[in-house]
Amino acid sequence: MSVAPKKELGQHFLVDENILGVIGRLAELGDEDVVLEVGPGLGVLTRYLAKRVAHVHAVELDRSLEPRLREALAECRNVELRFADVLRLDPATLDPAPTKLVANLPYNVATPIVAESLDGLPSVRLWTVMVQREVADRFFASPGTKAYGAVSVLVQLAAERTGFHPVARTAFRPRPNVDSALVAFRRTELPGEFRRVKSVVSAAFAHRRKTLPNSLELSGLTTREEAAAALERIGRHPGVRAEALEPREFVELARGL
């Protein structure tokens, strides 16, 4: 049964089964694991996971893949396949609760899926995700670099990187025009009031060419004066830009606003 990937959904199906061993190693798969897989595509990774873990929640947005996926997963009794937008999915419906997120993420939604899962899926302790190479680099980019942004801050506040592996373009169908990479990271400790921190971080990077107080005011989060005062309280000049702050400084800033 032939299936045409949908460009508008960012679909690039994993077809090279040689990469599965790398995913398994980075994901540290065990018999008791409950895995959430987002975007199972043709089911190549899903079948691999099903043989090694207790349960797989496979969430796919594209309903046209249902016949192919049902056929591919017919023998996998521990896979629960559902068709939904994972960003709108109630985590409470994932029973048993997932302990790991392992996925070849659709390119166009990889960043929001990871960002929302940090606090939206508190039971997840380890992520192993296939994403565009530039997205993988953003997750653990250093302050002051071009790649450093909102998702860098959020991921680094919640997790530490445990693995990284470049993936050839030939591993996918259709072959993407960008490089990809597997990146793995483990949950550390989520700061208190993470939702508040997330809103401050998003507003801070919304206008990268502006000073941080200006960006926060333009985003409607606070006034420029209040933001400047909060920055001074954490020892930062009011003229600083968001990309200069360390992740932990955003927690202090959020508490001071």
Side-chain angles (χ1 to χ4, degrees):
M1 184 185 300
S2 178
V3 176
K6 293 182 173 62
K7 185 177 181 180
E8 66 273 17
L9 295 181
Q11 291 177 338
H12 291 276
F13 298 143
L14 180 66
V15 293
D16 183 359
E17 298 195 13
N18 293 323
I19 201 67
L20 297 177
V22 180
I23 295 174
R25 175 175 57 81
L26 292 181
E28 303 173 16
L29 300 177
D31 293 343
E32 298 181 357
D33 285 334
V34 178
V35 172
L36 170 61
E37 184 192 8
V38 180
L42 303 180
V44 173
L45 176 57
T46 319
R47 290 195 305 271
Y48 177 86
L49 294 170
K51 294 176 182 178
R52 290 163 176 82
V53 303
H55 189 85
V56 180
H57 295 287
V59 181
E60 176 58 59
L61 179 63
D62 187 0
R63 272 279 181 184
S64 70
L65 294 175
E66 184 167 6
R68 177 66 178 267
L69 272 172
R70 296 285 184 199
E71 179 183 351
L73 304 176
E75 304 298 322
C76 302
R77 304 302 181 189
N78 59 340
V79 174
E80 180 182 353
L81 177 62
R82 68 171 72 188
F83 291 86
D85 181 348
V86 72
L87 291 171
R88 298 181 179 180
L89 190 65
D90 180 358
T93 65
L94 297 173
D95 185 22
T99 59
K100 295 180 178 179
L101 195 161
V102 183
N104 170 30
L105 292 176
Y107 282 176
N108 57 349
V109 290
T111 296
I113 286 173
V114 169
E116 289 303 313
S117 69
L118 297 171
D119 58 327
L121 293 170
S123 61
V124 170
R125 312 305 302 173
L126 182 72
W127 290 256
T128 303
V129 292
M130 184 100 68
V131 293
Q132 289 184 54
R133 175 62 187 265
E134 66 176 46
V135 173
D137 290 340
R138 281 186 208 136
F139 289 158
F140 291 93
S142 300
T145 62
K146 184 178 179 181
Y148 187 69
V151 73
S152 314
V153 174
L154 298 175
V155 169
Q156 290 174 48
L157 284 174
E160 61 181 359
R161 192 170 78 174
T162 58
F164 186 92
H165 185 85
V167 179
R169 301 183 186 191
T170 53
F172 308 94
R173 181 174 66 81
R175 180 172 174 170
N177 295 322
V178 295
D179 293 327
S180 299
L182 278 164
V183 60
F185 44 98
R186 187 185 310 280
R187 186 182 296 280
T188 50
E189 182 181 352
L190 203 64
E193 301 181 0
F194 190 71
R195 279 283 162 185
R196 173 63 175 172
V197 175
K198 186 185 288 188
S199 66
V200 171
V201 170
S202 298
F205 284 94
H207 308 275
R208 288 185 71 106
R209 296 185 180 181
K210 302 289 185 180
T211 64
L212 204 156
N214 282 341
S215 187
L216 293 178
E217 183 175 68
L218 287 169
S219 299
L221 192 69
T222 186
T223 66
R224 184 168 58 250
E225 292 74 21
E226 289 174 343
L231 281 167
E232 289 179 336
R233 284 194 291 271
I234 67 172
R236 282 291 193 168
H237 189 276
V240 72
R241 294 183 178 180
E243 53 265 34
L245 265 64
E246 298 280 345
R248 283 287 166 185
E249 290 182 296
F250 281 98
V251 178
E252 297 175 28
L253 179 63
R255 290 171 179 165
L257 288 173

